[in-house]
């Protein structure tokens, strides 16, 4: 047992070689990221005419025959999607009298709007000519689309339904979840929503997007949801686009009910000269207000910090306008995604998925080429492509290139926790400790960052801290956000050991071994503090027999841990 009395060390910083690679998926398509050196040209604004992009050379193998095959497949999927939409929300069966139609027409004519343009790179996946120049519209508070009473009725219907069900369900949103439900699943809300689509939403969309909507009979609701935002998990949703040519959001409760929230929109610029209520790139609404916009605009939901926020949102599609590129984005095979790029090379959504296919095929050089082409040919501000490429550079030890990728991610979205965390790791690898420390401080003060990133940041702040009390607090905060953080458990155990708090140290090490039983470093640390505790217990007493000592050591370490240590010593 003599080596059990060696000095006990073991602080462990987190160095993430397994970076969290974000690949865009169908329905919520993660978009965005780019090395700032990729392009210095002005944005191809969504408020300007569609720009043409050069087709990547690696798509030369996509023949007209292959294109036509996938166009037909997309058409079939579109027809199925329209039928499913009508099954879920039978808007074509809603009957309205002439008087009601006239009342709705007069109601819509009195609506006033805040108008925004989008100053961002790239294009929409489909119908850019019809929608790419279209602004984002938000009804003004003095002319809401719904009354406060109507909004409260919807909230009451939802709360009553889930009071009987037990609790609200949780819907996935990228890496996270949000409390909410698909409106089709709650009968009372579904009936109200279906009627309001026919009476108000569809006429509003026709009025604001006349180049795309010829007749309200052409519209169907692809998906619709009601979200109940609360401070837990308190995360910002990832940057994404919606699964439909047109998107809508209704606010159901007053802004006074909560703090935080709102929708961040990339490149959002208000064009109202008298509008001082919108700051930066965030849209905030109060009860009854509605936002309508092209679905292909990149956006994210800001985290709530206090209270509860209810919203209705969803996506609409046209019966007669096939969204070919969007339908192909759900392709599980690489060829379908490549066709999507060939049909619209200026839309960046499919490139990262194609790159991921090549990575799975062990063709990393081809994967890198696809990501670089995305940034060069489609969208030099594609955050997903840039983040993905940055992680590839990091793993190859190309830290300066990786740094540029992450910096561009943060140019687009300064609150991006993944990019901040990865950039901090890059600074560490380059020996830039001051910049690394500053980033960790920024991470822990940024609302909406994931618990995983927060846990890692606090752990590494602890490793940099000279004050033992502060160091311990950092590790405890790290474990508060992620109790299974092995590095934080090991480091906290070593702090306790340095203070000769052997029992607390053993608790941390044993928890770490419960999570990762093959960690020989932690096993050795546990053995060392256990022997220190054993020495304290036997101090001044008659020397323990070997059998009693081994039995007590097994109690302190856990018998399975002691058995594994002895087996290792034999080998």
């Amino acid at each position: 047992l003599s080596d059990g009395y060696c000095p006990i060390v073991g602080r462990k910083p987190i160095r993430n070689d397994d970076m969290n690679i974000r690949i865009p998926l169908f329905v919520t398509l993660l978009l965005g990221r780019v090395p700032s050196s990729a392009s210095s040209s002005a944005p191809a604004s969504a408020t300007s005419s569609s720009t043409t992009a050069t087709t990547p050379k690696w798509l030369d193998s996509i023949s007209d025959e292959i294109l036509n095959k996938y166009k037909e497949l997309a058409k079939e999927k579109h027809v199925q999607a329209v039928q499913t939409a009508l099954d879920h929300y039978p808007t074509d069966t809603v009957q309205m009298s002439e008087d009601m139609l006239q009342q709705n027409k007069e109601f819509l004519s009195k609506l006033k709007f805040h108008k925004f343009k989008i100053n961002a790179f790239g294009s929409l996946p489909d119908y850019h000519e019809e929608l790419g120049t279209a602004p984002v519209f938000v009804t003004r508070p003095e002319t809401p689309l719904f009354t406060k009473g109507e909004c409260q009725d919807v909230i009451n219907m939802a709360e009553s339904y889930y009071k009987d069900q037990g609790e609200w369900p949780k819907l996935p949103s990228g890496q996270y979840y949000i409390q909410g439900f698909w409106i089709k699943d709650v009968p009372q809300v579904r009936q109200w929503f279906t009627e309001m689509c026919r009476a108000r939403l569809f006429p509003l969309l026709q009025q604001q997007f006349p180049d795309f909507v010829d007749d309200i009979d052409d519209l169907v609701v692809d998906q619709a949801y009601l979200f109940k935002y609360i401070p837990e998990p308190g995360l910002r949703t990832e940057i994404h686009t919606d699964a439909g040519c047109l998107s809508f959001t209704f606010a159901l409760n007053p802004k006074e009910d909560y703090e935080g929230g709102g929708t961040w929109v990339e490149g959002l610029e208000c064009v109202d000269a008298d509008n001082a209520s919108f700051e930066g790139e965030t849209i905030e609404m109060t009860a009854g207000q509605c936002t309508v916009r092209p679905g292909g605009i990149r956006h994210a939901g800001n985290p709530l910090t206090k209270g509860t926020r209810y919203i209705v949102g969803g996506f609409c599609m046209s019966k007669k306008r096939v969204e070919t590129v969007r339908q192909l984005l759900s392709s599980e095979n690489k060829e379908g995604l490549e066709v999507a790029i060939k049909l619209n090379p200026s839309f960046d959504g499919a490139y990262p998925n194609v790159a991921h296919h090549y990575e799975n095929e062990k063709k990393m050089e081809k994967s890198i080429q696809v990501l670089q082409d995305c940034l060069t040919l489609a969208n030099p501000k594609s955050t997903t492509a840039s983040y993905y490429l940055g992680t590839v550079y990091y793993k190859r030890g190309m830290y300066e290139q990786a740094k540029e990728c992450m910096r561009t991610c943060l140019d687009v979205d300064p609150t991006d926790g993944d990019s901040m965390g990865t950039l901090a790791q890059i600074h560490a690898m380059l020996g830039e400790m001051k910049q690394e420390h500053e980033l960790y401080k920024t991470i822990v003060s940024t609302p909406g960052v994931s618990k995983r990133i927060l846990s890692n940041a606090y752990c590494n702040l602890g490793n940099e801290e000279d004050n033992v009390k502060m160091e311990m607090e950092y590790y405890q905060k790290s474990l508060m956000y992620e109790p299974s953080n092995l590095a934080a458990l090991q480091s906290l155990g070593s702090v306790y050991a340095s203070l000769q708090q052997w029992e607390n140290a053993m608790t941390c090490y044993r928890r770490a071994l419960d999570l990762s039983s093959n960690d020989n470093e932690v096993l050795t640390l546990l053995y060392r503090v256990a022997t220190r505790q054993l020495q304290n217990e036997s101090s001044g007493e008659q020397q323990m027999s070997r059998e009693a000592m081994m039995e007590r050591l097994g109690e302190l370490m856990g018998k399975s841990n002691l058995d594994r240590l002895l087996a290792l010593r034999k080998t």
Side-chain angles (χ1 to χ4, degrees):
L1 297 179
S2 60
D3 63 346
Y5 304 114
C6 293
I8 298 171
V9 294
R11 269 60 157 202
K12 186 174 185 179
I14 296 174
R15 297 291 178 250
N16 289 327
D17 290 328
D18 55 338
M19 296 297 175
N20 179 39
I21 301 224
R22 298 170 294 190
I23 303 300
L25 302 174
F26 180 57
V27 179
T28 52
L29 305 169
L30 309 185
L31 293 178
R33 298 22 203 183
V34 50
S36 56
S37 59
S39 174
S40 59
S41 59
S45 170
T47 60
S48 66
S49 59
S50 177
T51 56
T52 56
T54 304
T55 302
K57 292 291 186 183
W58 40 269
L59 292 180
D60 289 348
S61 61
I62 303 296
S63 64
D64 289 344
E65 182 180 357
I66 294 173
L67 282 175
N68 291 332
K69 180 182 77 171
Y70 280 96
K71 284 181 180 179
E72 286 301 313
L73 175 62
K75 186 175 181 180
E76 292 173 9
K77 294 175 71 173
H78 176 81
V79 171
Q80 294 171 1
V82 168
Q83 186 55 57
T84 300
L86 289 172
D87 290 341
H88 291 163
Y89 309 102
T91 51
D92 55 344
T93 65
V94 175
Q95 300 296 319
M96 291 190 295
S97 66
E98 288 297 325
D99 288 344
M100 186 177 294
L101 289 171
Q102 183 60 33
Q103 289 176 9
N104 288 330
K105 186 176 181 180
E106 292 175 0
F107 171 80
L108 290 173
S109 68
K110 296 177 182 178
L111 291 178
K112 297 179 181 179
F113 299 90
H114 292 302
K115 185 185 297 185
F116 301 83
K117 66 178 180 180
I118 303 298
N119 185 27
F121 288 94
S123 76
L124 305 177
D126 300 281
Y127 301 104
H128 189 92
E129 293 297 329
E130 293 82 355
L131 293 172
T133 60
V136 175
F137 297 98
V138 182
T139 57
R140 290 177 178 256
E142 65 268 24
T143 61
L145 189 63
F146 303 102
T147 67
K148 290 182 179 179
E150 288 172 325
C151 293
Q152 189 60 52
D153 286 344
V154 176
I155 294 173
N156 292 343
M157 285 187 279
E159 288 290 2
S160 176
Y161 183 84
Y162 283 106
K163 182 180 180 181
D164 296 335
Q165 300 293 316
E167 64 177 359
W168 282 56
K170 295 176 181 178
L171 298 180
S173 178
Q175 300 179 62
Y176 317 125
Y177 68 85
I178 301 173
Q179 282 195 146
F181 59 88
W182 301 113
I183 288 177
K184 66 180 177 61
D185 296 331
V186 179
Q188 271 190 297
V189 180
R190 174 177 180 261
Q191 180 179 350
W192 172 86
F193 173 76
T194 303
E195 292 173 355
M196 287 299 103
C197 283
R198 186 73 177 183
R200 297 185 201 173
L201 177 61
F202 288 178
L204 173 62
L205 292 173
Q206 183 187 24
Q207 173 182 293
Q208 302 306 120
F209 302 100
D211 293 338
F212 183 77
V213 183
D214 299 322
D215 191 291
I216 64 171
D217 289 331
D218 293 335
L219 292 174
V220 296
V221 177
D222 188 16
Q223 297 181 41
Y225 53 82
L226 195 159
F227 281 162
K228 180 181 180 180
Y229 288 99
I230 57 175
E232 177 65 32
L235 303 172
R236 189 187 196 207
T237 61
E238 294 166 334
I239 298 176
H240 62 279
T241 64
D242 293 332
C245 274
L246 293 173
S247 295
F248 57 88
T249 307
F250 314 148
L252 294 179
N253 61 320
K255 288 173 61 176
E256 293 75 21
D257 289 356
Y258 55 86
E259 294 179 7
T263 303
W264 173 89
V265 180
E266 183 185 356
L268 187 74
E269 293 184 8
C270 187
V271 297
D272 294 336
D274 62 339
N275 183 13
S277 61
F278 292 95
E279 297 182 1
E281 296 177 321
T282 298
I283 295 174
E284 295 183 343
M285 300 186 294
T286 193
Q289 281 185 275
C290 170
T291 297
V292 289
R293 55 179 171 74
I297 292 173
R298 294 181 287 273
H299 62 285
N302 286 333
L304 209 67
T305 57
K306 184 179 180 180
T308 303
R309 178 184 179 223
Y310 297 89
I311 68 164
V312 168
F315 328 127
C316 292
M317 56 194 299
S318 169
K319 294 176 183 176
K320 65 183 183 181
R321 296 180 186 269
V322 179
E323 299 171 47
T324 306
V325 172
R326 181 174 74 84
Q327 294 293 353
L328 293 178
L329 290 176
S330 62
S331 297
E332 295 183 359
N333 65 76
K334 182 177 64 182
E335 189 176 67
L337 294 165
E338 289 178 333
V339 168
I341 295 174
K342 188 152 188 175
L343 289 172
N344 187 358
S346 62
F347 173 65
D348 60 359
Y351 286 86
N353 281 339
V354 172
H356 194 54
H357 275 283
Y358 280 119
E359 182 181 10
N360 290 338
E361 295 171 4
K362 309 300 182 184
K363 299 177 180 178
M364 280 307 303
E365 297 305 321
K366 190 67 173 286
S367 177
I368 291 171
Q369 182 63 57
V370 172
L371 295 171
Q372 290 173 337
D373 282 349
C374 178
L375 299 171
T376 303
L377 304 176
N379 178 7
K381 290 290 183 181
S382 172
T383 54
T384 299
S386 186
Y387 184 88
Y388 192 166
L389 187 59
T391 60
V392 173
Y393 286 148
Y394 177 91
K395 291 176 180 179
R396 292 187 166 201
M398 301 167 67
Y399 299 124
E400 291 296 339
Q401 293 91 327
K403 185 193 295 186
E404 287 304 307
C405 291
M406 297 305 148
R407 281 178 172 170
T408 305
C409 296
L410 294 170
D411 285 344
V412 175
D413 179 10
T415 68
D416 182 350
D418 284 339
S419 295
M420 283 191 282
T422 303
L423 182 56
Q425 300 294 307
I426 294 167
H427 285 310
M429 296 311 236
L430 292 171
E432 299 168 348
M433 301 310 173
K434 180 180 178 181
Q435 293 92 325
E436 179 192 8
H437 179 80
E438 289 173 350
L439 268 171
Y440 293 139
K441 285 291 191 179
T442 301
I443 287 171
V444 300
S445 64
T446 300
V449 173
S450 73
K451 292 181 179 181
R452 176 182 60 84
I453 297 295
L454 285 170
S455 179
N456 290 350
Y458 275 119
C459 181
N460 285 344
L461 283 171
N463 272 264
E464 298 170 358
E465 182 58 55
D466 294 328
N467 183 289
V468 174
K469 182 179 178 182
M470 283 297 300
E471 180 184 8
M472 185 182 298
E473 289 181 4
Y474 281 135
Y475 296 141
Q476 289 168 341
K477 285 183 178 179
S478 174
L479 293 168
M480 177 182 72
Y481 284 106
E482 190 171 303
S484 60
N485 190 320
L486 291 172
L489 282 169
Q490 177 177 332
S491 297
L492 181 59
S494 295
V495 173
Y496 284 132
S498 71
L499 299 173
Q500 298 187 15
Q501 297 181 21
W502 311 123
E503 291 185 1
N504 287 336
M506 285 187 289
T507 297
C508 291
Y509 293 146
R510 289 184 65 169
R511 280 176 59 192
L513 288 169
D514 287 343
L515 295 166
S516 179
S517 61
N518 295 322
D519 193 324
N520 293 339
E521 180 183 1
V522 177
L523 184 63
T524 300
L525 292 170
L526 174 61
Y527 168 65
R528 289 176 177 174
V529 295
T531 55
R532 293 289 182 91
Q533 176 66 19
L534 190 60
Q535 182 188 34
N536 285 351
E537 292 177 0
S538 59
S539 177
E541 298 181 4
Q542 185 177 356
Q543 187 173 359
M544 298 174 67
S545 68
R546 184 179 187 281
E547 290 75 15
M549 181 182 66
M550 294 304 292
E551 181 179 353
R552 179 57 179 154
L553 194 60
E555 293 173 353
L556 294 172
M557 292 183 62
K559 189 174 185 307
S560 60
N561 292 326
L562 177 60
D563 289 345
R564 194 165 66 82
L565 179 68
L566 294 174
L568 286 171
R569 291 297 174 92
K570 289 179 180 179
T571 59

